[in-house]
Amino acid sequence: MSFLTLFEVASMPILQVLLISALGAFMATEYFNNILSAETRRSLNKIVFMVFTPALMFASLSKTVTLHDIISWWYMPINVGLTFAIGGILGWIIVKLLKPDSRLEGLIIATCSTGNLGNLPIIIVPAMCDEGGSPFGERNACHSVGTAYASFSMALGSIFVWTFTYQLMLSSSLKFKALKAAAEEQEEEVIKTPTTPKTPNKDLDADLETNLLRGEENRSFAIVVSSPKYVEDTGNQVIVTRGSSITLDQGKTSFSHKLVEFLKQILEELFAPPTAAAFLGFTFGAITWLRNLIIGENAPLHVIQDSIQLLGNGAIPCLNLLLGGNLTQGLRSSAVKPFIIVSVIVARYIFLPAIGFFVVRAAGDLGFLPSDPLFQYVLMIQYSVPPAMNISTMTQLFDVGQEECSVLLLWTYLAASLALTAWSTFFLYMLV
């Protein structure tokens, strides 16, 4: 199969995403009565997060992923974890080298580490099978298996996104808000501080040295209280404390208490709607009697699966429309320096896919992967996709870095139209 034919096959799914996203961008402008306004996108984001995405996760996994699949595809969770780890290291290097504003640190690392493992593979992989001249065999069989691979990738990506990335964005937002609150408090103290001249010490026993010492003590105390460095050292602390005695008490917090709080937070994140739906989908797909209860035309409760599937079908178009609508905000902003944008694009589309290609090939040579080339193609694509749109959802949930996120997503998705097509063509050429 010629390279040009492979390029055509690889480019069609990308064009589908671009066309729907372009419609969403147009709907967010005045020419379309601003249907996808910022407030509308925020509300639709919550609906997608709470309803559409969990429904798609459950419907896809319960129908396509069995216990045998979960066992035979054991390397895919490792591969997804490697995409987050390698991308996170690349993002961390960018942060250390460029030293951006504190509110951008978590966003840059998340953009480099968190790929769109959900709606893009679920569109690209089955569409690749539908194209004429697909190198992955018969259309129906390829479509069924490809959907299963993409659904499994979506579930794993959701678990990592709503644990690793969620915690990363939460910590970054708390740190930024703590610094911002400390700065505002310092400004208020400066405004409220009276500027009246110091009255001389009229104590009969006082002398000139006593007056000077007392004045110096007052100035030193004011500096200690209002110094913003104290808040910066507290890391991700939410509440800014003002007394040194409170700081000492916090430093003596027992390790067991911190461990319990950490585990409690992880459990809360794992029970986020998309992640909980993924676990339920795995459960119903792996347990035969639960699967037979809702899957199939003769299943007694198949109407539940049909209803969930109907809801899940709205996730992909809504996500792509939101993608286009959110990207329009980046067109009107210059909140991120160009060098940061270029660095993220280079890390996301050059270093990460190149490293991922050698990682997957090495795993295949060691016998860790099934012989199906479509499975290896999905693993390689996981390193090449643009950043996850859930990052935008998190910036809206935490109300930090929304404008900067829009700018980064705009340019990374524009670059993805070329980079993802080029890497997809290269992967196909190397696998067939």
Side-chain angles (χ1 to χ4, degrees):
M1 186 175 294
S2 66
F3 190 84
L4 184 60
T5 303
L6 292 175
F7 182 82
E8 182 181 355
V9 172
S11 62
M12 289 301 107
I14 312 301
L15 289 177
Q16 292 180 14
V17 176
L18 291 176
L19 288 174
I20 301 176
S21 299
L23 176 61
F26 187 63
M27 293 172 63
T29 62
E30 298 176 355
Y31 301 102
F32 218 94
N33 294 327
N34 201 22
I35 293 178
L36 280 182
S37 62
E39 187 64 31
T40 303
R41 293 198 303 270
R42 189 175 296 108
S43 300
L44 185 57
N45 243 325
K46 294 179 181 179
I47 296 175
V48 171
F49 172 68
M50 297 295 295
V51 180
F52 288 163
T53 300
L56 180 63
M57 300 285 292
F58 180 85
S60 300
L61 292 173
S62 61
K63 186 176 181 180
T64 58
V65 179
T66 63
L67 180 60
H68 179 268
D69 294 331
I70 296 174
I71 295 173
S72 61
W73 302 343
W74 64 270
Y75 183 78
M76 189 178 286
I78 298 176
N79 192 72
V80 173
L82 288 174
T83 65
F84 278 76
I86 298 172
I89 293 174
L90 294 174
W92 178 81
I93 293 174
I94 293 175
V95 167
K96 292 301 179 181
L97 291 178
L98 303 184
K99 302 185 184 304
D101 189 77
S102 59
R103 65 184 175 190
L104 294 179
E105 292 180 358
L107 178 61
I108 292 173
I109 297 176
T111 305
C112 292
S113 63
T114 309
N116 192 333
L117 304 179
N119 59 321
L120 277 184
I122 206 71
I123 295 174
I124 293 173
V125 176
M128 192 77 65
C129 297
D130 295 336
E131 287 296 319
S134 172
F136 298 124
E138 196 271 329
R139 176 184 178 278
N140 291 331
C142 174
H143 192 281
S144 177
V145 175
T147 302
Y149 291 158
S151 298
F152 196 28
S153 173
M154 179 191 298
L156 294 171
S158 176
I159 293 172
F160 277 90
V161 165
W162 294 107
T163 52
F164 171 80
T165 309
Y166 183 90
Q167 177 63 32
L168 176 66
M169 295 297 293
L170 176 62
S171 301
S172 178
S173 66
L174 293 179
K175 179 180 178 180
F176 170 71
K177 288 180 179 179
L179 292 172
K180 183 178 178 180
E184 292 176 351
E185 182 179 350
Q186 183 182 12
E187 292 178 0
E188 291 178 358
E189 289 182 356
V190 171
I191 294 175
K192 293 179 180 179
T193 301
T195 57
T196 56
K198 297 181 181 294
T199 57
N201 186 0
K202 298 181 179 180
D203 191 348
L204 296 177
D205 297 330
D207 54 14
L208 180 60
E209 181 180 2
T210 306
N211 295 334
L212 292 175
L213 287 176
R214 288 183 180 178
E216 184 66 29
E217 287 176 359
N218 291 336
R219 287 193 295 271
S220 176
F221 178 76
I223 293 173
V224 172
V225 171
S226 62
S227 174
K229 293 183 179 179
Y230 168 75
V231 181
E232 185 175 1
D233 294 338
T234 61
N236 298 328
Q237 188 175 331
V238 186
I239 302 174
V240 182
T241 55
R242 298 181 60 181
S244 59
S245 60
I246 300 179
T247 306
L248 293 175
D249 291 339
Q250 290 178 346
K252 296 179 180 179
T253 304
S254 64
F255 174 77
S256 59
H257 177 71
K258 292 181 180 179
L259 180 61
V260 170
E261 291 297 322
F262 175 75
L263 293 176
K264 181 181 178 181
Q265 187 174 14
I266 290 296
L267 288 176
E268 290 177 354
E269 294 165 5
L270 287 176
F271 281 101
T275 312
F279 282 124
L280 284 177
F282 280 132
T283 302
F284 275 78
I287 301 176
T288 304
W289 69 270
L290 286 176
R291 181 186 181 88
N292 295 333
L293 196 63
I294 62 172
I295 303 299
E297 295 181 358
N298 298 325
L301 299 178
H302 71 88
V303 65
I304 296 179
Q305 173 71 6
D306 295 340
S307 301
I308 295 176
Q309 181 70 58
L310 185 62
L311 284 173
N313 290 338
I316 294 176
C318 285
L319 282 170
N320 285 330
L321 290 174
L322 283 171
L323 169 62
N326 289 332
L327 293 182
T328 56
Q329 187 176 354
L331 287 172
R332 299 183 292 268
S333 174
S334 58
V336 184
K337 295 180 180 179
F339 200 66
I340 293 179
I341 298 174
V342 173
S343 300
V344 171
I345 290 176
V346 170
R348 183 82 237 179
Y349 295 130
I350 296 180
F351 288 105
L352 186 58
I355 295 172
F357 171 75
F358 289 108
V359 168
V360 175
R361 290 302 291 263
D365 294 339
L366 293 173
F368 294 160
L369 308 180
S371 57
D372 186 5
L374 181 58
F375 185 79
Q376 297 185 32
Y377 172 79
V378 173
L379 295 182
M380 293 177 182
I381 281 294
Q382 289 173 345
Y383 289 92
S384 312
V385 291
M389 286 304 300
N390 289 327
I391 300 175
S392 176
T393 303
M394 293 176 190
T395 60
Q396 293 182 4
L397 290 175
F398 302 141
D399 196 23
V400 171
Q402 298 179 47
E403 186 177 358
E404 292 82 357
C405 181
S406 298
V407 175
L408 283 175
L409 290 180
L410 169 68
W411 291 106
T412 52
Y413 271 81
L414 288 177
S417 60
L418 297 176
L420 184 55
T421 302
W423 278 111
S424 180
T425 306
F426 174 75
F427 297 152
L428 291 175
Y429 182 77
M430 297 300 296
L431 290 173
V432 299

